[in-house]
Amino acid sequence: MAGADGTEATGTTRAWAGKPQWRILVAGSNAALNFLLAWRAWKDDPNRPRMLHVVMIEPLPVSQAAMGAIARAHPELAPVAGELAAQWFGLMPGSHRLAFEQGHVLLTLHVNDLATVLRRERFTADCVMLDTVDPASVKAIARHCERGATFSAPTASDEAIAQLEQCGFVISAREKTATSLTGQFMPSWEPKKRPGSGSGTATASTCIVIGGGLAGSAVAASLARRGWSVCVMDAAAQPAFGASGAPVAMLAPHFSPDDSMLSRLSRAGVRMTLQQAREHLADGRDFSACGILELRDVGPHTFTEAQAPWSRPVTNGLWHEQAAWIKPAALVASWLAESGVQWRGICHAGRCVHDAASGAWIVLDSQGAELGRAELIVVAASVASGELASEDLPLQPVRGQISWGTQAASALPPYPVNGNGHLIPSVPLAGGAAWAWYCGSTFDRADASMDVRQEDHAANLDRLRQLLPGAASAIENEFINGTVQAWTGVRCASSNRRPLVGQLHPGMWVSTAMGSRGLTFCVLCAEILAARLHDEPLPIETRLADALTPLTPLTP
């Protein structure tokens, strides 16, 4: 087990000094403790790396109660143990990304057996910590190790030690019979290409993000946390002017009895966006994690106990515990305020060209004048993304109109409701002196009109009558007398309604096509992009991330 100073948990803190990131693999009954020790050592070290990544593999993660036991046994870990326990919910089979320290400490938890994760996932470790060493897993562990990676375990059999040495680990002779086995991955041969999560380890430099909505600002913040100097360009004078300028939006996981790809992606995205909202926004003003009721037909037999923290059956529907309403523009503003991010409005980007001489990408306006240049370009410009990137991306506009009003209505529920349409009640307006309700939204494919349509108001009211007849009756007077107000926006969706994120050309990436789930997918896609760019552990299973890659066939 790691020492209380955390030096074993980090593979000695000297090893990570001056590095941009440090990646640790932990597994076994002490995995949570070793993560907490590594986190505490990172906090206490002035020479810590900018990013600490911990990949934890556990078939059955410890309970929240066990976090309390760890804190009692190690009082110095109580603060970080409490923070971990607060995010330790809904740990269904699969991958879960938990973020701490303003996104600089990232825990990727794989709820699965060690052999399966090592076989399926692509990540690289600078340090490996195990409770036991299974000789059958040693070769797979070695394939995930960076040259020089440290290794530790309380003990190991002679067979396991022999296998470690055969696979390139140099075991300290004095430790072989001690209570702690340590070693280092230093093979005498050149290992095959490591199964890293990206195209290589990028060095933080300059980046231009084209698009100042949810997708672009989330990318800018993720890269800035990793040391990039990011300039966000947008044709509008203000951020979040397009679809991300919706006055309020729902953030809720998708549920399906077979736990489809969309369900798994949405849970991952909701967890990550909600964590950012809690960190950056004012509760009750900019967002509220109040839960959301989804009215639909569903049987309780389709649920497992692990799903309860996410969704549980109630009369005539589902209660989504981990759900919220959020003002997207507030989230965008918080990300653009990150250190290292610069905003430039009224920049009408026309195309991007690569300068072979300098290796930089240049953003030109429609007249060919240079707007800026950088080592990295990220296109997050909604339906214009394909044109800017000179690629035929499967994108289409989807127009939406929201109806809203301020009439007080005691019949409105105290929480948001969705189904065929939605209602978000009691959202504070700017200044906090008034409250508004919002319902809708329409979903008009291949329509980019920004006009307000009375027939869309009528459609929104009709859906609300079917969803919540009492609420519709309470507010319909605003529709009848013409005082109801509207917000319209054009979202961007892909042909199969999944977001697109990945590299189009060396140095050019894209993050777009989030449709009506921009809040759900923006942080997830930004972290996938950053992970692939820097050879970090992915925030979700590799096969799910691969399904979002542009320019390749997307499997169902």
Side-chain angles (χ1 to χ4, degrees), residues 12-52:
T12 73
T13 55
R14 288 192 300 270
W16 71 21
K19 293 191 176 183
Q21 65 175 330
W22 190 253
R23 301 156 295 187
I24 304 175
L25 167 62
V26 297
S29 60
N30 286 316
L33 172 60
N34 285 331
F35 164 65
L36 294 171
L37 288 167
W39 179 5
R40 179 57 189 263
W42 181 90
K43 286 174 68 74
D44 293 343
D45 187 358
N47 297 314
R48 59 180 175 262
R50 176 180 287 271
M51 302 293 297
L52 174 63

Side-chain angles (χ1 to χ4, degrees), residues 489-502:
V490 178
R491 298 156 290 191
C492 172
S494 69
S495 57
N496 63 6
R497 299 180 68 175
R498 295 180 200 157
L500 300 179
V501 57

